[in-house]
Amino acid sequence: MIDGLLIGLSTVLTLNNLALVLLGCLVGTIIGMLPGLGPISAIALMIPITYGFDPASGMILLAGVYYGAIFGGSTSSILINAPGVAGTVATSFDGYPLARQGQAGKALAVAAYASFAGGTFAAIILLIAAPYLAQLSLAFQSADYFIMMLLGLSLVAAFSNQGEYLKAILMTFAGLMIGTVGTDLSAGVQRFTFGRMDLIDGVSFLTLAMATFALAEAFLMVLKPSEGQQERSPKYRDLSLSRSEVKQIVPTIGRSSTLGFLVGTLPGAGATIASFLAYGMERNLVGNKPVPFGKGNLAGLAAPEAANNAACTGSFVPLLTLGIPGSGTTAVLLGALIAYGVQPGPRLFLDSPDVFWAVIVSMYVGNVFLLILNLPLIPQLAKLLTVPRHYLIPSIMFFSVMGVYLVSFNSFDIVMMIVIAGFAVGLRLLAFPMAPLLLGFILGGMLEDNLRRALALSDGSWSFLWQRELTSVLFALLCISLAVPLMRGFFGWMQQRKAVAAEK
Amino acid sequence: MSKLRQIVTNQRLVGFLFLLLSGLYVHFTEQIYLDFWSEAEVFNARTMPYLFGYGAMICASLLIVVPSRPFDWTALLQLKYLPALCLAVLLLFYALAIDYLGFVVTSTTFLGLGFIALGQRQKLKAFGVALTLSLVFYFGLSALDIYLSPGEWWFDD
């Protein structure tokens, strides 16, 4: 391993390759900030530029773009509540309220520190244990994925206030139902398209996320001008964290990085589930101290950020060691590697050790560069929120609409976005949460695919839930995760009844 | 009146709407086309929609039935609907016009009128900022090799 590390360091730490990491991070951050252009688009856009490079340099540049794009996505989530990619949705839950409270600089700084820590932790684990983790990730089957998706859905409790669990569940069902619109690829059948060509591909994640978050938020800022006003805190550019704040986020980052990395190594799971799981886990562990979750809790911001960056690194495990792309982004990277004439798989670190180790080392170097690059930029980015609201609101709307249009070039998507935003504004005014809707939408498709496969493998029997040890353990975790909020609600209700009886 | 406020709560209203919507969803699930061999399968294209639809119906019914806190409907009357409506119309204009008028013209019109709708008094300044922003995005995206149509209206073959 030491030899490999030295090969990686000698490849990456040349002036040329360091410049490429820096360029990758910069370009990735800028592209990632635009809704609709997430890491996949950013890498795809950069691949043609890398054709003239040697494979190691090409991969170093693309790894920089990947991390930059993830951080760029978090920036737009925090500043204008516009999560351009699914992996940064959970970041907006506490990041955006913090920015609204005049602490945009602090929110962006926590995101940067958490991303850095998550990425660094994951790069070190990848360095030590990549081949072993690859074997572990292969042990996961459809049944396990199905339970993991259910575990993700059970986290709706994390997005609801006390006594509002039912509202969150209803919104999750709404998301699951929206997710079924379009063509069922396994059966080749159209569902709920009403004969419209525009609906054959279903509702895209971006359309739904922009409509329910960014566009709905912009409309609410217009409808309630007093609440739409950002707090004019003189500290909006301040990046410093107090000792107690550091103490609060350090354990969160440790737990979320571990969880994120492990989830990231599973093919198909990726940064989105990792960020939601980490957010839910922290809400259950930390509770609402010192600020409630969803109202600007620093742990609520650090958890998804650390987890999604760690998961991004984790997704390289199956790619580099087995040649299996664990996510859409690593699938594009696999294509790039093959185009360079490198075949990823178990023999990669024997046949092309420079590429294998250079990618791993460049991940760490990329994280360092991202931190160095972004910390000075944060005060400038935070300034965005001081733009007068008559300029800011239409610009947010333009930004959201343009993001959706850039993906499909179909104006029907914009009309659909406006209609969904109308519903979302109505529901938010009636105090219904939107996050569970998006969670249901994201996980619905994967839930269906994995259940279909699991049932096919077990000849239509539901015994797959308890036949294997791994599935049984996950199933037990699911039961606990479902029971805890119910028990908590029941005991809260009992206490309330006792208090009322005592008053009488 | 207060009795009515206690009965018609936000929770019950949304619960009722979702009950109707999920009922319709289940109705349309029955119309999903299945091959004759798929109908007998344990899992087919209708399975998950049925589960989701019935799940939503149960949940919506529970929302209607369980006790809920009274909701302050008067707060909804104090919202600023006019500028929000203007922006919604402008967004619809954007959706309908972008293919015909092109990215720059549509974006400039949307942004300029949007700024004015939200209180920018200097019209020239509003359109100046709007045009600058549109051009920055147009040239920025063109530099990334992302094609943006200049508009069928101006460049019709």
Side-chain angles (χ1 to χ4, degrees):
Chain A
M1 191 191 81
I2 302 292
D3 290 345
L5 192 60
L6 290 174
I7 294 174
L9 282 171
S10 62
T11 313
V12 175
L13 297 179
T14 61
L15 202 62
N16 183 32
N17 285 343
L18 286 177
L20 286 177
V21 177
L22 184 68
L23 177 74
C25 288
L26 188 69
V27 172
T29 306
I30 294 168
I31 298 178
M33 276 192 229
L34 299 171
L37 299 180
I40 298 180
S41 323
I43 291 173
L45 285 167
M46 295 304 282
I47 286 176
I49 299 169
T50 63
Y51 280 147
F53 301 166
D54 63 273
S57 300
M59 285 309 288
I60 287 167
L61 177 74
L62 296 181
V65 172
Y66 189 13
Y67 284 106
I70 292 283
F71 185 77
S74 306
T75 308
S76 52
S77 277
I78 291 168
L79 292 180
I80 57 170
N81 203 21
V85 284
T88 60
V89 171
T91 303
S92 66
F93 298 156
D94 281 279
Y96 181 66
L98 263 173
R100 291 274 306 264
Q101 290 157 22
Q103 299 187 64
K106 185 182 280 185
L108 289 170
V110 169
Y113 298 140
S115 299
F116 172 72
T120 304
F121 171 84
I124 293 168
I125 303 290
L126 181 65
L127 204 68
I128 300 166
Y132 312 107
L133 287 166
Q135 295 306 317
L136 180 74
S137 75
L138 280 184
F140 270 71
Q141 294 180 0
S142 305
D144 310 314
Y145 281 109
F146 169 67
I147 308 250
M148 222 167 69
M149 301 303 146
L150 285 180
L151 199 61
L153 286 177
S154 73
L155 294 173
V156 287
F159 310 114
S160 53
N161 298 325
Q162 205 174 8
E164 301 202 322
Y165 197 32
L166 211 52
K167 282 184 186 176
I169 297 176
L170 184 67
M171 297 315 292
T172 311
F173 272 116
L176 289 167
M177 291 196 291
I178 296 171
T180 58
V181 175
T183 308
D184 175 14
L185 292 175
S186 306
V189 176
Q190 286 181 32
R191 300 189 294 200
F192 313 107
T193 57
F194 307 105
R196 276 204 74 106
M197 288 287 283
D198 301 297
L199 286 173
I200 282 181
D201 285 337
V203 182
S204 76
F205 159 77
L206 194 68
T207 307
L208 197 66
M210 287 295 141
T212 52
F213 278 67
L215 208 52
E217 189 63 38
F219 273 117
L220 285 171
M221 281 159 81
V222 178
L223 287 166
K224 297 176 177 177
S226 53
E227 286 182 28
Q229 209 70 35
Q230 307 289 335
E231 276 184 33
R232 301 276 174 188
S233 162
K235 283 188 164 183
Y236 76 95
R237 296 166 70 174
D238 188 10
L239 313 182
S240 60
L241 295 173
S242 68
R243 194 178 282 246
S244 64
E245 286 169 338
V246 174
K247 264 188 185 170
Q248 188 199 350
I249 62 169
V250 166
T252 296
I253 290 173
R255 287 190 292 264
S256 304
S257 303
T258 314
L259 178 74
F261 182 77
L262 291 174
V263 174
T265 56
L266 307 174
T272 311
I273 298 178
S275 61
F276 278 112
L277 284 174
Y279 186 85
M281 180 180 76
E282 284 309 307
R283 164 123 185 190
N284 287 334
L285 287 176
V286 177
N288 286 326
K289 288 177 280 181
V291 183
F293 268 68
K295 306 269 181 212
N297 190 310
L298 288 182
L301 170 60
E305 272 302 292
N308 77 20
N309 243 39
C312 288
T313 307
S315 67
F316 277 83
V317 171
L319 175 72
L320 293 176
T321 55
L322 302 167
I324 301 168
S327 62
T329 316
T330 44
V332 179
L333 285 171
L334 174 71
L337 275 170
I338 293 169
Y340 299 144
V342 176
Q343 183 60 52
R347 288 195 60 81
L348 177 67
F349 77 109
L350 294 174
D351 296 340
S352 311
D354 56 328
V355 178
F356 182 85
W357 292 105
V359 171
I360 293 178
V361 174
S362 71
M363 281 177 199
Y364 183 68
V365 177
N367 270 302
V368 176
F369 270 65
L370 203 59
L371 193 70
I372 297 170
L373 187 77
N374 284 315
L375 284 181
L377 272 180
I378 285 173
Q380 311 310 319
L381 291 170
K383 243 183 176 174
L384 182 76
L385 294 181
T386 60
V387 171
R389 62 185 289 279
H390 58 257
Y391 283 128
L392 187 65
I393 295 170
S395 304
I396 294 174
M397 289 180 162
F398 167 64
F399 199 59
S400 322
V401 166
M402 194 189 66
V404 168
Y405 184 73
L406 281 181
V407 174
S408 61
F409 292 98
N410 184 356
S411 49
F412 177 82
D413 284 356
I414 305 180
V415 177
M416 187 157 63
M417 189 181 165
I418 300 165
V419 174
I420 296 173
F423 276 108
V425 169
L427 286 167
R428 283 182 64 177
L429 286 172
L430 295 173
F432 274 72
M434 280 294 119
L437 181 129
L438 215 49
L439 182 70
F441 178 81
I442 293 167
L443 297 185
M446 292 188 261
L447 187 81
E448 181 171 13
D449 290 344
N450 286 300
L451 177 60
R452 188 195 302 268
R453 264 197 296 271
L455 280 171
L457 287 170
S458 64
D459 273 336
S461 160
W462 287 84
S463 59
F464 69 82
L465 289 173
W466 52 83
Q467 267 178 348
R468 292 170 62 244
E469 281 169 19
L470 183 60
T471 321
S472 309
V473 171
L474 286 170
F475 190 54
L477 274 176
L478 172 69
C479 294
I480 293 168
S481 139
L482 284 172
V484 166
L486 287 176
M487 299 275 277
R488 216 180 260 173
F490 178 72
F491 286 124
W493 178 71
M494 290 282 281
Q495 272 180 342
Q496 250 179 352
R497 277 196 65 172
K498 266 185 195 170
V500 171
E503 270 178 32
K504 278 181 183 171
Chain B
M1 192 67 184
S2 67
K3 183 91 177 159
L4 191 69
R5 257 191 68 198
Q6 274 180 350
I7 295 170
V8 186
T9 62
N10 60 331
Q11 194 170 307
R12 290 209 174 102
L13 181 77
V14 175
F16 181 70
L17 277 174
F18 266 91
L19 189 62
L20 282 179
L21 283 173
S22 37
L24 274 173
Y25 180 85
V26 170
H27 169 72
F28 286 117
T29 300
E30 282 161 18
Q31 294 178 8
I32 294 172
Y33 173 77
L34 289 181
D35 297 317
F36 68 91
W37 58 81
S38 300
E39 285 182 29
E41 281 177 355
V42 180
F43 196 104
N44 57 40
R46 288 182 192 166
T47 311
M48 286 314 252
Y50 270 134
L51 283 174
F52 297 156
Y54 285 124
M57 282 173 85
I58 293 168
C59 212
S61 309
L62 281 172
L63 263 184
I64 298 169
V65 174
V66 297
S68 53
R69 292 193 204 110
F71 185 73
D72 180 17
W73 293 101
T74 52
L76 295 183
L77 298 173
Q78 288 152 12
L79 301 173
K80 306 274 178 207
Y81 288 106
L82 192 64
L85 202 67
C86 284
L87 286 171
V89 171
L90 280 173
L91 278 171
L92 269 177
F93 157 78
Y94 194 92
L96 299 175
I98 191 161
D99 290 336
Y100 297 100
L101 299 179
F103 179 81
V104 176
V105 175
T106 320
S107 301
T108 307
T109 313
F110 167 76
L111 284 168
L113 292 176
F115 296 154
I116 293 166
L118 289 187
Q120 170 58 273
R121 299 261 173 262
Q122 296 162 285
K123 295 184 176 66
L124 206 62
K125 194 176 170 187
F127 279 100
V129 174
L131 181 64
T132 314
L133 207 59
S134 307
L135 288 175
V136 165
F137 272 100
Y138 182 77
F139 287 116
L141 292 169
S142 301
L144 289 172
D145 236 3
I146 296 171
Y147 175 75
L148 288 167
S149 163
E152 290 169 20
W153 183 282
W154 323 107
F155 298 92
D156 200 2
D157 330 295

